[in-house]
Amino acid sequence: MRFVFIFVSLGLFCGGKMEKDKFAKERELMVKYQIEARGIKDKRILSAFKKVKRHLFVPEKYRYKAYGDHPLPIGEGQTISQPYMVALMTQLLKLEGDEKVLEIGTGSGYQAAILSLLAKEVYTIEIIPSLAERAKKILDSLGYKNVHVRCGDGYLGWPEEAPFDAIIITCAPEKLPEPLVKQLKEGGRIVAPIGPEGGLQILTVFIKKKGKIIKKEEGGCYFVPMRGIIEKIEEKKE
Ligand code: SAH
């Protein structure tokens, strides 16, 4: 009986360790070949990507693909972005560690977890209730205490917590929402994909200087569209 017990617990121990090691290795390779090799050299960013367990943010059936060089479905027709895109947007935010950051489009919560290791406080808004709840649960269970999740329409931002040093939008509006510009600090930046659903979207950096917005386009990208209030505003214009 004693032997059986030892055998079983040894098996569990090894199984658990093997799974942990397997993902750690995959994570390391993801950082090396998908992120670092494409020019992202900031040590703090690379270290954050080595730490955050991306596989825990994707649905169980896709876990084996979690470290692949592509986006993945997270339910409700939404996706977690490709690791490199998360890294590139993070780099464009130029965080130093003391910032208050707002994210629009929590999705899986993965980008928020990365940001939480690079900024002081992260406020993130998700429009789909089931995704907001799931992200909140996973972020809480992994101990990301400086991430605050809210379910709502990110078009309106988070006025009670404004102003923000940096804002990242991970769904695509056709035009930068005005309330977000208002909630950005002087000298702050917004990183966002701008463009129509299914059409050409441009990853853009907006910097607020002397109350004005300076725009810098970084390149093409593909994101799910921003939903909610912004669609009604666009309709009215037509
Ligand atoms: N950053 C996420 C990926 C998000 S995908 C991650 O790391 O997993 C884009 C998300 O934006 C989707 O979950 C979508 O539901 C959400 N979204 C779309 N329109 C929104 C809006 N107006 N306000 C907040 N979230 C929105």
Side-chain angles (χ1 to χ4, degrees), residues 58-233:
V58 306
E60 223 162 328
K61 64 176 171 182
Y62 294 124
R63 253 175 213 172
Y64 72 103
K65 289 186 178 178
Y67 296 95
D69 195 11
H70 44 68
L72 277 173
I74 53 170
E76 308 278 358
Q78 307 304 317
T79 52
I80 177 175
S81 305
Q82 172 199 24
Y84 172 66
M85 186 50 76
V86 180
L88 178 62
M89 291 178 85
T90 304
Q91 171 168 273
L92 292 171
L93 287 173
K94 292 208 163 100
L95 301 172
E96 288 179 355
D98 212 27
E99 297 86 355
K100 195 171 184 183
V101 182
L102 175 66
E103 180 192 30
I104 310 302
T106 315
S108 69
Y110 178 68
Q111 170 85 71
I114 294 284
L115 294 174
S116 82
L117 300 180
L118 300 165
K120 194 167 173 193
E121 298 293 333
V122 178
Y123 293 82
T124 179
I125 309 176
E126 170 56 51
I127 202 166
I128 301 178
S130 63
L131 293 182
E133 260 161 53
R134 199 172 64 195
K136 187 171 169 21
K137 231 183 242 167
I138 176 81
L139 288 160
D140 284 349
S141 75
L142 295 173
Y144 291 103
K145 292 204 170 60
N146 58 343
V147 182
H148 314 276
V149 184
R150 165 189 270 189
C151 182
D153 194 323
Y155 179 88
L156 300 169
W158 197 317
E160 308 90 302
E161 290 298 338
F164 297 95
D165 298 286
I167 300 178
I168 175 171
I169 310 180
T170 65
C171 45
E174 292 207 25
K175 205 175 150 276
L176 190 59
E178 264 311 309
L180 300 182
V181 175
K182 288 208 181 87
Q183 291 173 32
L184 183 68
K185 259 189 206 165
E186 172 62 28
R189 44 179 62 213
I190 300 181
V191 174
I194 303 289
E197 178 172 7
L200 178 66
Q201 299 170 355
I202 308 281
L203 187 60
T204 312
V205 181
F206 301 89
I207 302 172
K208 200 180 208 176
K209 276 209 176 126
K210 295 189 183 138
K212 290 214 167 70
I213 290 290
I214 296 165
K215 192 170 112 173
K216 188 166 178 271
E217 296 186 337
E218 293 290 329
C221 58
Y222 178 78
F223 279 80
V224 295
M226 184 180 263
R227 297 281 184 216
I229 297 169
I230 197 161
E231 295 172 285
K232 297 197 181 83
I233 293 173

Side-chain angles (χ1 to χ4, degrees), residues 12 17 40 45 52 68 93 104 129 152 185 211 232 235:
L12 281 176
K17 198 167 163 38
I40 291 173
I45 296 182
V52 179
L93 287 173
I104 310 302
K185 259 189 206 165
K232 297 197 181 83
E235 267 168 30

Side-chain angles (χ1 to χ4, degrees), residues 24 27-53 83-84 86-88 90-91 110 114 117-118:
R27 203 154 47 244
E28 218 181 285
L29 295 176
M30 170 191 87
V31 172
K32 192 168 174 194
Y33 294 109
Q34 299 177 38
I35 299 178
E36 206 174 351
R38 288 184 178 134
I40 291 173
K41 307 282 184 204
D42 183 331
K43 292 269 176 296
R44 289 175 67 239
I45 296 182
L46 298 176
S47 151
F49 277 84
K50 277 180 200 158
K51 279 189 199 138
V52 179
K53 296 180 171 153
Y84 172 66
V86 180
L88 178 62
T90 304
Q91 171 168 273
Y110 178 68
I114 294 284
L117 300 180
L118 300 165

